[in-house]
Amino acid sequence: MAKDKNILKHLAIIMDGNGRWAKERGLVRTKGHEAGANVTRDITEYCAKHETIETVTFYAFSTENWKRPKYEVAFLMKLLDSWLRAELETYHKFGAKFQPIGNIEGFSPKLQETIAYIQKETAHHTNVTQILALNYGSREEIAKAANRLAQRGETITEESLGAELPTPYVDIDLMIRTSGEQRLSNYLLWQNSYAEFFFTPTLWPDFTAHELEDIIDQYVNRNRRFGGL
Ligand code: IPE
Ligand code: IPE
Ligand code: MG
């Protein structure tokens, strides 16, 4: 009997390779981030129209990315602010709900305000939830969740800890990293426990909905066993 195809509900993406994309073209790294931001929009549109995808989680800025040169960090903060504001129209158009995860308090008051505003304005959309991991580190997320449970005197179990992670807590089905690097870089360690992984050499600004569709075609036929037979 033919095996049922895997359903894809939660897609997670590590958008990597913006800097190399720019360098290959003799451009400054920041041009790569600008080009990459457009791809994030295209992929969100694809996910909103996809029948089964409920959540797409993009890694946009890690807790380790503060180590980058000051001007690059400053550029990324500005880009995030202007991009989110410009995206509001797109979120409405695609019926996409925006939700941040990560240490938002670490950003400037203005950026925090933008994040809260876009979240509020898009809260009613239901085609897809677009989660942006912003100032995000998975170890920190897990440690903080464990601390909250401990402070409330609750026992730490898989269920209680899982439920304490920022909403919506959903297992990841498919995890994609672009640019050829094959590592998690402190991204969603808990939520990736049984994810299927795909690593593509494509640099993020060159990634397309067409390539995503190819990867999903492979994903649906993979044999996910979850420890069983
Ligand atoms: C990913 O691209 C975007 C962020 C981490 C913000 P990079 O900036 O890491 O690009 P490479 O890896 O240097 O090419
Ligand atoms: C991971 O990419 C973080 C984001 C994509 C936002 P990095 O380029 O920062 O990761 P490393 O340094 O190669 O592990
Ligand atoms: Mg990188």
Side-chain angles (χ1 to χ4, degrees), residues 51-65:
E51 251 182 57
T52 64
I53 298 174
E54 293 169 358
T55 309
V56 55
T57 303
F58 295 100
Y59 207 177
F61 193 83
S62 77
T63 46
E64 288 76 29
N65 286 147

Side-chain angles (χ1 to χ4, degrees), residues 128-196:
V128 75
T129 299
Q130 180 213 62
I131 300 179
L132 292 190
L134 303 170
N135 195 14
Y136 177 87
S138 186
R139 287 178 172 176
E140 179 182 58
E141 178 182 68
I142 293 168
K144 279 188 168 170
N147 253 312
R148 286 194 298 272
L149 290 174
Q151 271 166 8
R152 299 202 299 264
E154 290 175 37
T155 313
I156 296 172
T157 63
E158 286 190 27
E159 287 70 30
S160 67
L161 186 52
E164 192 62 30
L165 295 174
T167 51
Y169 167 70
V170 212
D171 275 347
I172 291 162
D173 297 304
L174 171 60
M175 168 80 194
I176 300 171
R177 182 170 189 148
T178 59
S179 88
E181 308 299 353
Q182 302 188 15
R183 55 176 169 265
L184 274 177
S185 303
N186 201 13
Y187 192 41
L188 302 165
L189 304 178
W190 179 282
Q191 297 87 334
N192 267 312
S193 287
Y194 265 106
E196 293 294 323

Side-chain angles (χ1 to χ4, degrees), residues 11-21 32 36 39-40 43 58-59 175-185 187 197-209 211-212 215:
L11 168 68
I13 300 183
I14 300 179
M15 313 184 277
D16 200 11
N18 292 350
R20 279 163 282 170
W21 181 91
V39 178
T40 310
I43 299 303
F58 295 100
Y59 207 177
M175 168 80 194
I176 300 171
R177 182 170 189 148
T178 59
S179 88
E181 308 299 353
Q182 302 188 15
R183 55 176 169 265
L184 274 177
S185 303
Y187 192 41
F197 284 76
F198 274 82
F199 298 100
T200 167
T202 305
L203 303 173
W204 180 248
D206 288 330
F207 193 72
T208 58
E211 181 169 0
L212 173 59
I215 293 173

Side-chain angles (χ1 to χ4, degrees), residues 33-99:
H33 297 314
E34 277 173 1
N38 293 326
V39 178
T40 310
R41 175 186 311 121
D42 295 346
I43 299 303
T44 302
E45 176 180 6
Y46 175 88
C47 292
K49 290 178 178 159
H50 190 279
E51 251 182 57
T52 64
I53 298 174
E54 293 169 358
T55 309
V56 55
T57 303
F58 295 100
Y59 207 177
F61 193 83
S62 77
T63 46
E64 288 76 29
N65 286 147
W66 296 106
K67 290 180 197 159
R68 295 189 177 198
K70 254 193 179 151
Y71 72 87
E72 180 165 341
V73 171
F75 180 89
L76 285 168
M77 296 301 132
K78 248 179 83 183
L79 177 66
L80 183 59
D81 198 297
S82 58
W83 186 82
L84 277 173
R85 286 184 175 276
E87 278 312 284
L88 186 55
E89 208 185 305
T90 327
Y91 286 117
H92 289 326
K93 190 165 154 210
F94 304 143
K97 171 171 149 181
F98 161 72
Q99 189 165 331

